[in-house]
Amino acid sequence: MSQALAKPPKGDWVFDNSPDYPDFTRVIIKETGGKLTGVITSRWYGDLPMQDLWGAGDTLVFKISNGNPRVTPTDIVIKAEGTSIRMTGKL
C-alpha cells in the first residue's frame, strides 16, 4: 500500500480575511522546472515577491520585504486547509 505525500499549495488564491494593514488581497504560487516562486499582493505595498520560498508537505515557508531596512523579514507560513489556505506569521 502506498501513501500519497502532501504537496504545498500552488495556484492563485484570494484572501477573504486580512488585517487592514498590510491588507493582503491575493497570493500566486507557481512551480516551474521544479522551482517554487510566488508573489503576495498587499493594498499597502502592491506585489511583493516571496523570498527564500520552500515547501514541505502541505506547507510553504517564505519571507517578504516591505522595503524598510529597519525591519528584518521573518518566516511566513502558508498551509493548505482543505480547499483553502491559511497564512500565519509576523507580517
Side-chain angles (χ1 to χ4, degrees):
M1 172 199 258
S2 66
Q3 183 177 12
L5 298 175
K7 294 183 180 181
K10 293 179 213 117
D12 299 354
W13 303 84
V14 175
F15 290 102
D16 60 5
N17 186 6
S18 175
D20 289 340
Y21 176 83
D23 199 8
F24 291 117
T25 58
R26 71 180 175 158
V27 62
I28 300 171
I29 303 160
K30 297 179 181 178
E31 183 175 3
T32 306
K35 179 176 165 80
L36 288 169
T37 60
V39 173
I40 189 162
T41 302
S42 159
R43 290 191 203 276
W44 282 87
Y45 299 109
D47 289 342
L48 299 164
M50 295 178 179
Q51 302 168 349
D52 304 325
L53 175 62
W54 58 276
D58 62 354
T59 302
L60 291 170
V61 181
F62 63 97
K63 293 175 174 56
I64 56 173
S65 172
N66 68 5
N68 183 342
R70 296 177 301 194
V71 176
T72 301
T74 60
D75 284 350
I76 298 171
V77 175
I78 291 179
K79 184 169 177 56
E81 290 190 351
T83 59
S84 299
I85 60 171
R86 178 174 302 270
M87 186 168 73
T88 56
K90 185 176 177 185
L91 308 171

